[in-house]
Amino acid sequence: MLKFSVLLLFLILSVSASKKPKCLKGQYHKSRATPEADMQECTIYDKSSCCHANFTKELAQSPVIKVYNTYWNRCGNLSESCESYMKKIDCFYMCSPLAVHWENRNYSAAIEHVPICQKFCDGWYDACKNDLTCVNNWLTDWEIDEKGENHCKNECIPYSQMYSNGTDLCESSWGNSLKVSESTCRCLNLNENDVNFFKYIRHDSSSSSSSSSDSSSEERACRRKMIKLEQLKEAEEEGLEEDLEKDVEEIL
């Protein structure tokens, strides 16, 4: 009887663990996403996080000096607005359980072609255009010393000279990790609303298995969801959330 109880408990724990989202296979990633207390940054992922809380300590300070072995200040400290976008990128890669859905096919610790919203990229560019950088690709263009720390190979120039616009910034600074989406809805803004639109996003939409009619249908559904959330947000600010939510549900 005792052996049976132990076996049953093991099976229950195994099933419970299998339901938790998987994570990227990076050196500092968890194997599966779990709640994480005491996160000092990246808090939108604390209910289901692929990173440990200690990762967020270096990100929580401002200006950020370095994250693990990568220094952010090789061309001077980043402005607060620019730094905030850099943090969002790092938080998504390290902590978001959504990131694994765009796992790099050749390197399971990396991401590729994450559909990012044009609005996010344009905002990132505007925030950083006057800051300085010495690399085009933050993943590959550094000179790495024997300690694994990064150093500039070239002179520091403004972001506005290194990148032509927001699209160039998103699709160059992290290699092929990010891809600007043609949709303004079925894309990620790296914020708390991403989970609401994830089911409408097909990262394989360019494949032959996804028809244009399916894509159009998902786009319409996504836009309806976006409108609903915007209306609920406005209603919440005006103290009318409950009544409007019922009205919107009836319409949809």
Side-chain angles (χ1 to χ4, degrees):
M1 182 66 180
L2 178 60
K3 289 184 178 179
F4 174 77
S5 298
V6 171
L7 177 60
L8 180 60
L9 177 60
F10 175 76
L11 290 173
I12 292 174
L13 292 175
S14 298
V15 171
S16 177
S18 66
K19 291 182 179 180
K20 296 175 181 177
K22 292 183 179 181
C23 300
L24 292 168
K25 297 179 178 65
Q27 180 180 357
Y28 302 105
H29 286 85
K30 299 177 184 178
S31 59
R32 290 185 179 274
T34 57
E36 193 70 28
D38 303 320
M39 292 179 74
Q40 298 180 36
E41 195 69 52
C42 315
T43 53
I44 62 174
Y45 306 114
D46 62 0
K47 299 295 188 297
S48 182
S49 175
C50 284
C51 68
H52 297 281
N54 60 359
F55 159 73
T56 67
K57 291 180 180 179
E58 292 178 323
L59 282 183
Q61 61 182 324
S62 184
V64 174
I65 305 301
K66 71 182 181 72
V67 178
Y68 295 124
N69 286 336
T70 301
Y71 282 82
W72 286 23
N73 64 346
R74 291 308 191 195
C75 290
N77 293 329
L78 296 173
S79 65
E80 186 176 346
S81 57
C82 181
E83 184 179 83
S84 69
Y85 276 87
M86 298 285 285
K87 288 182 178 182
K88 289 178 181 180
I89 298 288
D90 261 26
C91 285
F92 174 79
Y93 168 69
M94 285 297 302
C95 306
S96 175
L98 298 182
V100 72
H101 293 278
W102 292 278
E103 180 182 83
N104 190 297
R105 289 163 290 182
N106 300 315
Y107 183 43
S108 58
I111 52 178
E112 63 177 353
H113 305 148
V114 176
I116 198 80
C117 295
Q118 183 74 61
K119 180 180 179 180
F120 177 90
C121 298
D122 292 342
W124 185 8
Y125 183 80
D126 286 340
C128 294
K129 61 184 178 182
N130 295 322
D131 288 83
L132 300 178
T133 183
C134 61
V135 292
N136 181 267
N137 185 331
W138 277 62
L139 303 181
T140 62
D141 290 355
W142 299 103
E143 180 177 321
I144 307 299
D145 64 19
E146 64 278 2
K147 296 180 181 179
E149 296 178 350
N150 60 309
H151 300 272
C152 290
K153 294 180 182 179
N154 305 301
E155 65 176 338
C156 297
I157 61 175
Y159 271 69
S160 59
Q161 292 183 30
M162 183 66 73
Y163 308 102
S164 57
N165 51 40
T167 298
D168 187 23
L169 174 58
C170 273
E171 297 185 349
S172 299
S173 60
W174 270 58
N176 68 344
S177 300
L178 307 176
K179 178 69 175 177
V180 177
S181 175
E182 294 181 0
S183 169
T184 59
C185 184
R186 293 167 58 216
C187 56
L188 302 182
N189 275 299
L190 308 191
N191 60 27
E192 64 276 2
N193 286 326
D194 286 348
V195 294
N196 294 314
F197 300 105
F198 175 69
K199 68 179 180 179
Y200 304 111
I201 300 171
R202 292 187 176 183
H203 57 277
D204 60 346
S205 60
S206 60
S207 68
S208 59
S209 60
S210 179
S211 68
S212 58
S213 60
D214 288 340
S215 179
S216 297
S217 177
E218 289 185 358
E219 182 71 20
R220 289 193 295 271
C222 184
R223 289 185 179 280
R224 288 197 297 270
K225 181 73 171 182
M226 179 183 288
I227 293 172
K228 176 183 175 181
L229 290 175
E230 289 175 349
Q231 291 177 330
L232 289 175
K233 182 179 179 180
E234 292 176 0
E236 184 177 15
E237 294 174 352
E238 298 174 4
L240 302 173
E241 179 179 7
E242 184 175 345
D243 291 339
L244 182 58
E245 185 171 10
K246 292 179 181 180
D247 293 340
V248 173
E249 288 290 348
E250 292 176 0
I251 295 173
L252 299 179

